[in-house]
Amino acid sequence: MNIHEYQAKELLRQYGIPVPLGEVVYSVKAAARVAEEIGGQRWVVKAQIHAGGRGKAGGVKLANSMERLAELADQMIGSRLATEQTGPEGQRVQRVLVERAAKIDREIYLGFIVDRDSQRIVVIATAEGGVDVEEMAREHPERIHKEVVDPAIGLLDFQCRKIAMALGLQDRMSPFVRILKRFYRCFRDKDMLLAEINPLVETEDGDLLALDCKMVFDDNSLFRQGEIAELRDFDEEDPKEVEATGHGLNYIALDGQVGCIVNGAGLAMATMDAVVLHGARPANFLDVGGGASPEKVANAFRIVLKDPNVKAILVNIFAGINRCDWVATGVVQATRDQRIVVPIVVRLAGTNEVEGRRILSESGLDLITAEDLDEAAAKAVAALKAVEA
Amino acid sequence: MSVFVDRSSRVIIQGFTGQHATFHAAEAMAGGTNVVGGVTPGKGGSTHLDRPVFNSVAEAVAETGADVSGIFAPPQVAVDALLEAIEAGIRVAVIIADGVPVQDMVRTKRYLTGRSTVIIGPNSPGIITPGECKVGIMPSHIYRKGRIGVVSKSGTLNYEAVAQMGKLGLGQSTCVGIGGDPVNGVDFRTVMQAFEEDDETDIVVLIGEIGGNQEVEAARWASHYMNKPVVGFVAGASAPRGRRMGHAGAVISGESDTATAKLDAMEALGLYTVRNPADIGDAVLRAIKETGEHHHARAGP
């Protein structure tokens, strides 16, 4: 789960990590009020959407006067911001963060991840903040500094000092070590998977400030992170994906035309791959999970068909804890109740597959059945081509 | 011999009296798995499925000599159950739950230092040595005794591969689902090593997915230390960057953890790679023919 920059900064503040003076606002009037309250001559106006790449897309701008500030807030609030991560249609900006601008001497990148290689929490730092850290890791791995945290004992002072020295922060050692340790505690306490302060800046006055912050939380831990779960912004998510989650389905919208309804994440991905190999593109990833009832399957159809691009549906079930007869009943119900007109290809295998196939054939519906994965994908793509022709 | 579990395994089920645990334990027992008891805190002293129920894993181990545990506890409490199993000296702990907090697994793996429990999962379909022992949720009837070792992250893709092999008359020595989480128990490499050392396995099928680099690490290890042929497939060639595809660990975060990049790396390391998920069975057959293991790998009568 992602949160907004202003929410992440509030968490940093709670952990005693310095952030710029500022406040999130929903109107031009409030923007002016906040600027007056925090004072100074220059302010930054930052569009609050989850996607990255805001700066390049014009979602972060500097105002040298109150008039300019009002103008920028007016332009941004209510507009759609398209960054490299949002897709061309962009994301609606509902609020902006107004902050006092800092005079910056240098920028640093500071991040924590749950690292898959070491299977531990790792701190990552580089002296060149604001950059794409992945690109840096590829091109100049020697400029990336890492420390692996022993979960039994936590991040140690000497590890923080090592990072400080690698970054050339000998003169700011104590405040840096304090910030890094607090950042680690925040990461661990709140069950994050990834957190970045990018950049952490040293101002003209020698203060360290977290100028931007991104946090990704572990969905699996939200049951014990009630305060974090409340920060979820459904407007930032695809409404079809939100609805799917409510039905216990795992759905991700994609840009193709073959709607996919599958059980299991691995088989769902493989089914999408098979569709591509046969010359079409999947409209979605959808995992109905285990123990899929007829109602759940019917809901899966409803969500997949909300995407107007869907011209054919491929149902691929390999039932272990699922039951093919339940899935078949769901397919038949959905086709009748929802008056589905797009071609439906169904492949059923595993638990109760004979019964499932019988339900499909006795329904009298115009369903296309397939014996295996390859045949199913081929038939779904052929059905799509027939619709398009 | 097979890998990790066999007919000599003495299995307990944690969360024994729950609905899913009951269903899968009964199914495993019907297939010959030696389930010697179960644990449900507070229900110790009773019996379930004609087997004794204990209040703790330590008690169950002391009374039954159990060495394998299937953990069917829900994700919020599954790690506690796992730690209890490790502490009680369980040799193989299978953790089925999907939705285990990732940082809990980080701490668990640290706790494992100096202990020797083999953890399978979380978010795993389990492990099966056909005809001998099943600890998990896979549909037993599709598996048959043979000489092919299968290791996958996904459950359903494991079934898919096994079904394809079944149509060609090929059976399995052991099938292991290591799970789809970013921090998990045994990795691909550890399972591959076990298969390499197993005299009942002739060929290994590795089924991975996008995210992380376990598949490539395992392939690199195999290219140096394995004599047995390895067939590899990686799901998610059609997946977009940055989106979590169902499994917590299935997310492309760089250039090197796409399906295509992993398959390219595996191919360069000399593995039999499969680009189409429908071709896994055929690739196994091709590997058998080319390496002359044909007569070994066929399923028994």
Side-chain angles (χ1 to χ4, degrees), chain A residues 256-260 275 280-284 310-314 380-381 384:
Chain A
Q257 295 174 302
V258 179
C260 298
V275 167
R281 296 187 51 75
N284 63 274
V310 170
K311 299 285 187 288
I313 293 179
L314 169 50
V381 174
L384 169 69

Side-chain angles (χ1 to χ4, degrees), chain A residues 89 238 240-241 250-262 265 268-276 280-287 303-304 306-311, chain B residues 210 236-246 250 252:
Chain A
E89 74 285 0
D238 185 309
K240 296 192 291 298
E241 294 178 13
N250 206 326
Y251 171 92
I252 292 166
L254 301 169
D255 57 5
Q257 295 174 302
V258 179
C260 298
I261 296 174
V262 190
M269 274 188 273
T271 305
M272 288 161 44
D273 295 347
V275 167
V276 170
R281 296 187 51 75
N284 63 274
F285 166 97
L286 191 151
D287 173 11
I303 285 155
V304 165
K306 278 194 177 171
D307 177 351
N309 290 329
V310 170
K311 299 285 187 288
Chain B
I210 52 168
S238 59
R241 260 182 88 104
R243 299 302 310 269
R244 223 163 277 282
M245 306 301 282
I252 299 169

Side-chain angles (χ1 to χ4, degrees), chain A residues 33 38 44 87 100 134 204 226 249 325 352-353 355 375:
Chain A
R33 176 186 55 78
I38 59 180
V44 185
R100 186 195 278 183
E134 272 177 34
E204 268 186 352
L249 302 163
D325 52 332
N352 296 359
E353 64 179 51
E355 178 67 5
E375 189 190 339

Side-chain angles (χ1 to χ4, degrees), chain A residues 114-117 119-121 134 138 149-153 187-193 216 218-221 223-224 241 250-254 263-274 276-278 281-282 285 287 291 316 318-321 347 350-353 371-374, chain B residues 20 23-24 75-76 98-107 109-110 113 137-139 141-142 153-154 156-157 159-160 163-164 167 181-185 209-214 233-241 243-251 253-255 275-278:
Chain A
V114 176
D115 175 53
R116 300 173 72 143
D117 295 347
Q119 303 269 287
R120 290 187 174 187
I121 294 169
E134 272 177 34
R138 239 183 351 263
V149 182
D150 183 331
I153 201 155
F187 183 89
R188 187 203 56 193
D189 289 355
K190 302 297 179 189
D191 275 306
M192 294 182 210
L193 295 178
V216 179
D218 177 12
D219 291 340
N220 293 353
S221 303
F223 73 89
R224 64 185 181 199
E241 294 178 13
N250 206 326
Y251 171 92
I252 292 166
L254 301 169
N263 69 316
L267 190 60
M269 274 188 273
T271 305
M272 288 161 44
D273 295 347
V276 170
L277 286 163
H278 282 279
R281 296 187 51 75
F285 166 97
D287 173 11
N316 184 20
F318 207 122
I321 42 174
R347 182 264 183 135
T351 309
N352 296 359
E353 64 179 51
E371 288 293 308
D372 59 36
L373 172 60
D374 202 47
Chain B
H20 287 298
F23 177 82
H24 293 290
Q76 296 82 349
D98 175 9
V100 167
V102 174
Q103 290 198 24
D104 284 359
M105 280 307 295
V106 171
R107 289 184 271 269
K109 292 197 82 171
R110 174 64 174 83
T113 310
I137 58 173
M138 49 271 268
H141 68 273
I142 64 168
K153 283 184 178 169
S154 154
T156 46
L157 209 42
Y159 316 158
E160 174 67 41
Q164 287 180 24
K167 278 191 181 167
D181 281 2
V183 179
N184 63 343
E209 56 196 38
I210 52 168
N213 69 348
Q214 271 200 32
F233 171 71
V234 178
S238 59
R241 260 182 88 104
R243 299 302 310 269
R244 223 163 277 282
M245 306 301 282
H247 286 157
V251 55
S253 50
E255 304 291 325
R275 305 278 168 163
N276 182 341

Side-chain angles (χ1 to χ4, degrees), chain A residues 310-381:
Chain A
V310 170
K311 299 285 187 288
I313 293 179
L314 169 50
V315 180
N316 184 20
I317 301 294
F318 207 122
I321 42 174
N322 275 298
R323 294 171 49 172
C324 288
D325 52 332
W326 282 15
V327 174
T329 304
V331 171
V332 171
Q333 265 178 24
T335 313
R336 287 212 179 106
D337 299 351
Q338 299 172 40
R339 300 198 167 82
I340 298 172
V341 288
V342 302
I344 301 171
V345 178
V346 188
R347 182 264 183 135
L348 297 175
T351 309
N352 296 359
E353 64 179 51
V354 177
E355 178 67 5
R357 286 180 193 154
R358 192 186 57 78
I359 292 168
L360 295 181
S361 68
E362 287 178 2
S363 72
L365 293 168
D366 191 15
L367 300 163
I368 304 163
T369 55
E371 288 293 308
D372 59 36
L373 172 60
D374 202 47
E375 189 190 339
K379 283 184 168 175
V381 174

Side-chain angles (χ1 to χ4, degrees), chain B residues 3-5 92-97 118-129 134-138 143 149-159 162 174-181 184-188 191 195 205-209 214 247:
Chain B
V3 164
F4 301 130
V5 297
V92 178
V94 181
I95 173 166
I96 306 295
V118 171
I119 301 173
I120 295 171
N123 195 0
S124 159
I127 178 169
I128 180 169
T129 293
K134 180 183 99 157
V135 187
I137 58 173
M138 49 271 268
Y143 295 84
V150 182
V151 56
S152 69
K153 283 184 178 169
S154 154
T156 46
L157 209 42
N158 194 309
Y159 316 158
V162 165
T174 301
C175 296
V176 186
I178 62 169
D181 281 2
N184 63 343
V186 285
D187 55 10
F188 278 123
V191 181
F195 278 134
V205 178
L206 181 163
I207 302 169
E209 56 196 38
Q214 271 200 32
H247 286 157

Side-chain angles (χ1 to χ4, degrees), chain A residues 86-127:
Chain A
T86 60
E89 74 285 0
Q91 177 64 36
R92 184 167 298 283
V93 180
Q94 302 193 338
R95 44 179 107 64
V96 296
L97 177 60
V98 177
E99 286 182 339
R100 186 195 278 183
K103 290 200 171 137
I104 298 163
D105 256 12
R106 58 171 156 176
E107 305 188 5
I108 288 158
Y109 170 96
L110 217 49
F112 281 97
I113 53 163
V114 176
D115 175 53
R116 300 173 72 143
D117 295 347
S118 62
Q119 303 269 287
R120 290 187 174 187
I121 294 169
V122 169
V123 53
I124 301 171
T126 162

